[in-house]
Each structure stands twice: as structure tokens, then as C-alpha cells.
């Protein structure tokens, strides 16, 4: 048995009572939390003792939407100032050149960045497989970094010649997509508590796959009890595409292809009306909110407050790094809080109307980034620091210049300029220690990544 004692920290548990301990700690056994409480209530010793005096400790952040490979195409000049459809059309031909080595390399870069931002579980959506690339390349790279991964077997089958958006060169035939999806579930999917790898079935978007593939994907996922994920209602362009091609708005189209249920979560879900929010609530669908990407691509502002009021599960995602162009999940927490406030402002909110009405708080934004994300991914073993849960957390030291004068250590990490984690721990194992990645060599990751990125655009 291996034990780790964390002590003397300001600890936010994110349990049902939002318990916060000014001098708290964790006692961890074999990767799971055995005890959580005041430091003086915990055992005195362990195999390893981590004294986090002056640090805030939070549950590990959960990233519900990303495209790791896009870290190779950040800030491409021709795609810097385009909206979604034009951005995609510019980048598809570049992505068609990706190799298995690029998938491996970009996965490590994205996960290293995520780990340094406090993330301990990430979902990735890989939806193109050029030049014999496989989801296996991503899973192998992730196991070296040490974060939990929900690897989505994405797909595109509706090319330009059939009325879709992507060029035919990056779409695949549907039989091989389904066969590969089944192979991956059988090979990697682990539904048990503490799972490091889960497989998700994830046709890319309404404008890049057929309705038939959506239906068959849902059938396959339900046969094996794995989750379903896709982009939905991201932009007004997509809404028009769905109405013209399928005779439904995006959410209606999902109902038509049997894509509603507590095993489904949608990335973005910006362009929805009140009835559609109720559809999500009734069927317990989840939403991956990606505020930075939505701002970067001028997609719109998702109605997070309405989702929350209706009881819809909401988590956060950094989205593909070419539409962010970073993988800093704590920065996403901050942007989620700020963008929710922008939405309040532009929808006529006035403090004088209701002085008791509160704007989204820092702790609420952190909830979305932790427990919200865990619920969206269907995980009961992560998202909060409670007995029996995975020992996934991150710690930030409070004596940084940007925190000087802050009067609330938890809010400081959201209201303040986003900083990197000093410690990130997954299942009791250190991924980041004293601000440094310990599972991979950061400099080597950067060098390998820049070389691959340069080749891709040459
Ligand atoms: Zn995306």
C-alpha cells in the first residue's frame, strides 16, 4: 500500500456542502482519498508527506472538449480572423497531412499544458485519421503524461461531394469508422472507478457526418455502455445548414437520430432556444461549454445560466487549440465566469431590478470546471475531494505577485490572471511538482512539437 499525506492547505472540497478548510489536508491510499479534513485530524505520517502551507488546493479540473492535434496549427495566419466554417476550410487541408507521430506529439503537448493548468482528466475529440493515424497513437502518448483520458473516436463521413463541409480527402467510409470504434472500445475502455482510459464515440458534427452514421454510432455506443459526443449548435451557420439539409434545427435533428440521453454530451450548444434547453434537461444531456473558442470564432455566448437553472449538466472545455489558442483550463474557468457576466449585461440585466441577483461566482465557475465536468463525462469517482474518490487535485502557491492583496484565496485563482499549478496530482501520482512537469521533459516536448508544426505547414 502507498500513502500520501497532504497537509496545511486551504482546501476546497467541492462536496455537496461546498466545504472549505482553512487548514485542511488529504490522506491518500493507493490513489484514492481515504480521509479529508483539518490537518490535525489526519494521520501524522505517510510514505510521502506534502506540506502545502500557503497553497490553495482544489479538485483536479476536468476538460470536457479538446482537439489535441490542433496544438500543431495554432495562430495559423490565414485562420486567425475567420469564423468557424471559414476557419475549418482553411485548416482541413493542413490537417490532412497529419501523421501518427504528429498525433502522439501534439497529445503530449496538449496534456502537458493541461496538467500545468490544474487539469487531471481530459476528453479529446480526434475526428480525422489521415496517413494511417489511429486513436491508439493518442492513448499511448497520454499514458506517458499520466492524465486520465476520455479518448473520443471521432469521425467524418460527409465530404464536399455529398454536401458536407470537409473536403473528401479527410472523410472516411462508415463501415471502417464503426469497425475501428468497436475495436477501440474492446481494447481500451475501462468503466471502473479510477479508470485512466475511457473510449467515447464521437461523429464530428452535423455538417460532416451522415444521419445514418449518427444512428449507428448511437447503437454501437449503447451496446457497450460508452458515451456519445459531438459538436452541436455551435454557430448560426450550422443551424441554417441543419434546417436546409435535415429539415430540423440542430437539437431536433439530434432527437431524430436518437442522440439524446444521459450518455450524450454536446460541445458548445450556443444556438438553442428555451424548448431545446428543456429537451437537454428532460433527457439529462450534458454540455461542454468552451467560452474562449466561442469568443475566438465569434460563435456566440452559450446560455449557461439558463442551462443551470433548468438542471442541465455543464462542464468546461478548452476546445481545439487552434480556436483558443491555448490549453489552459484554469483560464477557461476564468473566461466562463467573465463571459457569463457579459451575457447578463447584454440581456438587460440591471442590479437595480433585483439587488439579490448574483453574477456567476468564482466558486460556481470552479464547480463547472470540476464536478460539472465529471458529471458531463459520467464519472462519479472524480470532480471533488471526498473520501473514496480519486486523489486528483492541484495546488497553487499564494505568494505570487498577481495574488498580492487578494482577500480570498480560492477566488484569487479565478479572478486573478491565470497561473500555472505548482502541483498537479492524478491518482496520488505527481504530474507536476514544484511547478515542473515530472512525467515528461517539457523542453523535449516543445522542441519535438515545433519541428512537427513547422513540417505540417511547409
Ligand atoms: Zn471542438
Amino acid at each position: 500500500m502507498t500513502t500520501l499525506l497532504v497537509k496545511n492547505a486551504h482546501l476546497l472540497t467541492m462536496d455537496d456542502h461546498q466545504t472549505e478548510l482553512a487548514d485542511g489536508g488529504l490522506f491518500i491510499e493507493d490513489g484514492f482519498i481515504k480521509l479529508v479534513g483539518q490537518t490535525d485530524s489526519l494521520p501524522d505520517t505517510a510514505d510521502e508527506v506534502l506540506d502545502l502551507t500557503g497553497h490553495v488546493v482544489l479538485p483536479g479540473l476536468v476538460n470536457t472538449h479538446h482537439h489535441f492535434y490542433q496544438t500543431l496549427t495554432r495562430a495559423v495566419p490565414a485562420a486567425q480572423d475567420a469564423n468557424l466554417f471559414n476557419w475549418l476550410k482553411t485548416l482541413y487541408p493542413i490537417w490532412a497531412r497529419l501523421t501518427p507521430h504528429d498525433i502522439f506529439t501534439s497529445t503530449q503537448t496538449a496534456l502537458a499544458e493541461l496538467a500545468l493548468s490544474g487539469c487531471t482528466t481530459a476528453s479529446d475529440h480526434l475526428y480525422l485519421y489521415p496517413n494511417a493515424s489511429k486513436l491508439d497513437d493518442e492513448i499511448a502518448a497520454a499514458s506517458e503524461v499520466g492524465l486520465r483520458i476520455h479518448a473520443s473516436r471521432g469521425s467524418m463521413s460527409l465530404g464536399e461531394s455529398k454536401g458536407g463541409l470537409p473536403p473528401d480527402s479527410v472523410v472516411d467510409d462508415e463501415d471502417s469508422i464503426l469497425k475501428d470504434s468497436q475495436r477501440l472500445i474492446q481494447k481500451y475502455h475501462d468503466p471502473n472507478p479510477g479508470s485512466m482510459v475511457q473510449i467515447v464515440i464521437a461523429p464530428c458534427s452535423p455538417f460532416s457526418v451522415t444521419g445514418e452514421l449518427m444512428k449507428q454510432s448511437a447503437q454501437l455506443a449503447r451496446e457497450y455502455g460508452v458515451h456519445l459526443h459531438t459538436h452541436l449548435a455551435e454557430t448560426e451557420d450550422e443551424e441554417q445548414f441543419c434546417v436546409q439539409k435535415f429539415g430540423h434545427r440542430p437539437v431536433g435533428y439530434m432527437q431524430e437520430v436518437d442522440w439524446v440521453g444521459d450518455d450524450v454530451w454536446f460541445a458548445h450548444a450556443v444556438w438553442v432556444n428555451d424548448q431545446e434547453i428543456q429537451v437537454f434537461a428532460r433527457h439529462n444531456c450534458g454540455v461542454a461549454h468552451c467560452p474562449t473558442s466561442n469568443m475566438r470564432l465569434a460563435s456566440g455566448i452559450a446560455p449557461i445560466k439558463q442551462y443551470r437553472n433548468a438542471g442541465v449538466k455543464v462542464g468546461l472545455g478548452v476546445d481545439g487549440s487552434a480556436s483558443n489558442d491555448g490549453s489552459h483550463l484554469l483560464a477557461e474557468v476564468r473566461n466562463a465566469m467573465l463571459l457569463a457576466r457579459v451575457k447578463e449585461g447584454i440581456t438587460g440585466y440591471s442590479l437595480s431590478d433585483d439587488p439579490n441577483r448574483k453574477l456567476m461566482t468564482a466558486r460556481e465557475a470552479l464547480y463547472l470546471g470540476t464536478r460539472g465536468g465529471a458529471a458531463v463525462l459520467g464519472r462519479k469517482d472524480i470532480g471533488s475531494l471526498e473520501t473514496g474518490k480519486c486523489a486528483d487535485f492541484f495546488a497553487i502557491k499564494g505568494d505570487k505577485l498577481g495574488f498580492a492583496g487578494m482577500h480570498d484565496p480560492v477566488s484569487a485563482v479565478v479572478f486573478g490572471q491565470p497561473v500555472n499549478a505548482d502541483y498537479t496530482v492524478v491518482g496520488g501520482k505527481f504530474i507536476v511538482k514544484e511547478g515542473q512537469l515530472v512525467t515528461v521533459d517539457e523542453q523535449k516536448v516543445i522542441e519535438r512539437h515545433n519541428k512537427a508544426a513547422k513540417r505540417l505547414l511547409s
Side-chain angles (χ1 to χ4, degrees), residues 354-408:
D354 178 1
N356 294 319
R357 191 169 159 188
K358 283 227 168 101
L359 300 172
M360 184 184 279
T361 68
R363 284 167 177 78
E364 192 179 353
L366 283 168
Y367 181 93
L368 299 180
T370 54
R371 279 189 73 169
V376 164
L377 297 187
R379 302 275 306 237
K380 292 190 171 71
D381 57 339
I382 59 171
S384 61
L385 301 175
E386 296 178 82
T387 299
K389 293 223 179 185
C390 295
D392 294 5
F393 63 91
F394 71 109
I396 291 177
K397 207 169 177 209
D399 64 355
K400 296 177 169 66
L401 188 60
F403 295 152
M406 290 277 188
H407 293 278
D408 177 344

Side-chain angles (χ1 to χ4, degrees), residues 50 52 55 393-396 421-425 430 432-435:
L50 184 64
L52 289 182
H55 291 69
F393 63 91
F394 71 109
I396 291 177
D422 292 290
Y423 295 89
T424 301
V425 173
F430 290 92
V432 175
K433 203 170 196 175
E434 294 177 358

